[in-house]
Amino acid sequence: MKITIETPKPGEEDEVIIRCAGLDDNMMRLIYALREGEKLTGYIEDRIVKLSHKDIYYFEAVDHKIFAYTSKETYEIHKKLYEIEQDFEHTDFLRISKSAIVNTSKIAYVKPVFNGRFEAKLKNGEKVIISRQYVTELKKKIGI
């Protein structure tokens, strides 16, 4: 891979041009890393907080509301779960059930449980259930 860095002329906007044969997962991760300045807005009590996706352990839909769970706090997110899934498609986030998306980099371990489902213990001590239809994708994502 060849990397070229040019300084824009005065008055020109910074620009990133990606020239590649195809957009594979690695390229998409690179693009997302470049866009990382875009944060997610979370709401807790009377505060509005900018969240970094790196701090989020998982998202969950409860009673038609979406929540983001970090190591210490729970934030309401004003997006639909499918929008979050699309926004984080080429990152470590993965849908694990109809109502949850997990950050696979925050998984400490997984173990099989009843009826083909898996249980993931997260690094903050919480446990989430992976529905059986998402187990195959989880195994691919985490390399097992």
Side-chain angles (χ1 to χ4, degrees):
M1 174 176 17
K2 176 181 160 185
I3 298 174
T4 304
I5 300 173
E6 298 176 359
T7 304
K9 295 176 184 156
E12 286 184 339
E13 185 178 356
D14 288 344
E15 177 182 28
V16 176
I17 298 171
I18 298 176
R19 192 175 297 134
C20 60
L23 288 176
D24 60 7
D25 281 345
N26 289 332
M27 270 307 160
M28 292 306 293
R29 286 182 214 276
L30 176 63
I31 291 167
Y32 193 80
L34 290 169
R35 292 181 32 201
E36 195 169 300
E38 297 176 26
K39 304 278 185 180
L40 194 60
T41 303
Y43 300 84
I44 184 169
E45 296 170 3
D46 60 345
R47 296 177 287 152
I48 300 171
V49 180
K50 289 292 187 183
L51 301 172
S52 171
H53 71 281
K54 293 177 184 175
D55 297 330
I56 297 171
Y57 281 72
Y58 66 101
F59 295 97
E60 184 177 38
V62 179
D63 295 332
H64 304 289
K65 292 182 180 181
I66 306 301
F67 296 95
Y69 297 85
T70 64
S71 61
K72 296 182 179 156
E73 299 284 351
T74 302
Y75 300 90
E76 185 175 348
I77 305 296
H78 292 174
K79 284 188 164 195
K80 303 284 187 204
L81 206 57
Y82 76 87
E83 293 172 324
I84 293 168
E85 184 177 23
Q86 289 171 350
D87 290 347
F88 295 105
E89 181 178 13
H90 297 285
T91 66
D92 290 330
F93 286 88
L94 180 69
R95 170 89 63 155
I96 58 167
S97 69
K98 288 196 294 186
S99 62
I101 297 171
V102 72
N103 184 345
T104 58
S105 70
K106 301 291 187 184
I107 294 175
Y109 66 83
V110 295
K111 68 178 184 178
V113 291
F114 184 70
N115 264 353
R117 297 180 299 163
F118 271 51
E119 177 183 87
K121 182 163 184 185
L122 305 179
K123 292 177 181 175
N124 66 352
E126 289 194 53
K127 294 178 182 177
V128 293
I129 297 294
I130 296 102
S131 297
R132 65 176 175 242
Q133 66 254 37
Y134 298 96
V135 168
T136 303
E137 193 61 34
L138 174 74
K139 286 180 177 180
K140 278 191 240 173
K141 190 87 159 182
I142 63 175
I144 59 170

